[in-house]
Amino acid sequence: MADSAPRDAANWAAKIDRLQVSDPSDTHGYNVQGKRVAGPMNGFGRLWQRTYTAALGTAVTPEAVIADWRAHFGEYWPRMGRFHSSLSTLQPGDVTALTAGGVTTGVMVLYADDTSFTFLTPEGHMFAAMITFSAESDAAAHTIARISMLLRCSDPLFESMWPLARRGEDLFWPEVLRNLGRAHGVTDVTVAERTVCVDRRRLWANWRNVRHNAGIRTVAHVVRAPFRRTRPEGAP
């Protein structure tokens, strides 16, 4: 008898070798298209586990929070970043570009269900990371929204920028949770942050990741912009 597929098979992205941007009209996918995914063990720097948590009251369920978050993910970002997606709702396997801190890169949706969704980063992203967005009810029936990350800086250059990047993350993600809370009627959102260094080793075998560095490639893309030939209207 053949093995049956797992019950949650539809919640996982299909296995792929190279990423393809889900919206082919998106001009920001140049640092994502054709790249491989890069999880924490593909990075260079120290391994960190970071968590941001916020209570969103009892008026909204975890399922409603996640449904809204998946449908309007980029709308909750502060102005320092932009999520370049025209997708109606994030689905497993979706690949989309983003810009944060002036660097254009992207993410792939690895997993999504009613109470959580998870991103993997591509080669060249500042972090080689797995990032999970989730919601659950606590013992008092409050809905708790959470952003959990397991990450390494992807190459030596980005590792040297970790102190600055960490401060930026500590501004960015709490504001996302506050914006999410405001959308669900919670005007005073307190965000708790926790950071643990899981592994202080740097993976020197991965130092060559710098060739994919999205910061360098973003600058090169901008510099070359005036010299790129634009296609005539109606050209194939």
Side-chain angles (χ1 to χ4, degrees):
M1 180 173 154
D3 292 337
S4 60
R7 286 183 295 177
D8 66 346
N11 300 122
W12 291 91
K15 184 178 180 180
I16 57 171
D17 183 47
R18 298 281 182 172
L19 297 175
Q20 302 292 322
V21 178
S22 299
D23 181 357
S25 67
D26 187 354
T27 60
H28 299 89
Y30 58 89
N31 276 337
V32 186
Q33 188 75 13
K35 297 294 186 182
R36 293 185 173 92
V37 292
M41 293 312 296
N42 303 116
F44 168 81
R46 293 161 292 179
L47 181 63
W48 299 91
Q49 187 172 46
R50 311 203 72 203
T51 306
Y52 301 93
T53 307
L56 303 185
T58 60
V60 61
T61 65
E63 291 80 5
V65 168
I66 294 302
D68 177 54
W69 214 349
R70 286 175 60 185
H72 304 283
F73 185 77
E75 296 175 26
Y76 294 126
W77 279 30
R79 292 182 178 179
M80 67 184 76
R82 185 177 177 189
F83 194 69
H84 304 291
S85 177
S86 61
L87 304 172
S88 57
T89 296
L90 295 173
Q91 300 291 344
D94 285 345
V95 178
T96 189
L98 62 87
T99 300
V103 175
T104 296
T105 176
V107 291
M108 184 193 81
V109 183
L110 174 66
Y111 179 88
D113 63 19
D114 291 343
T115 56
S116 69
F117 56 102
T118 298
F119 292 162
L120 278 179
T121 53
E123 295 171 314
H125 194 288
M126 174 169 276
F127 304 124
M130 179 181 293
I131 309 170
T132 297
F133 305 84
S134 62
E136 62 185 13
S137 294
D138 65 9
H142 292 89
T143 291
I144 307 299
R146 181 173 291 110
I147 303 171
S148 304
M149 310 176 187
L150 189 65
L151 62 89
R152 294 181 189 269
C153 289
S154 60
D155 63 45
L157 179 58
F158 279 142
E159 176 74 354
S160 72
M161 298 168 61
W162 167 247
L164 180 62
R166 176 172 175 171
R167 287 195 291 273
E169 295 281 292
D170 286 344
L171 293 173
F172 187 91
W173 293 117
E175 189 62 20
V176 167
L177 289 174
R178 293 186 191 102
N179 290 339
L180 183 67
R182 292 183 192 108
H184 293 280
V186 185
T187 56
D188 186 13
V189 177
T190 300
V191 179
E193 182 272 334
R194 184 171 184 265
T195 298
V196 176
C197 185
V198 179
D199 183 2
R200 292 193 171 275
R201 295 176 302 164
R202 293 179 172 90
L203 304 185
W204 287 97
N206 295 335
W207 72 268
R208 292 182 181 86
N209 290 348
V210 73
R211 70 189 186 277
H212 298 294
N213 186 288
I216 295 173
R217 288 172 173 262
T218 298
V219 171
H221 184 83
V222 172
V223 169
R224 291 197 300 263
F227 306 100
R228 279 194 293 273
R229 181 182 300 174
T230 57
R231 292 183 179 182
E233 187 175 351

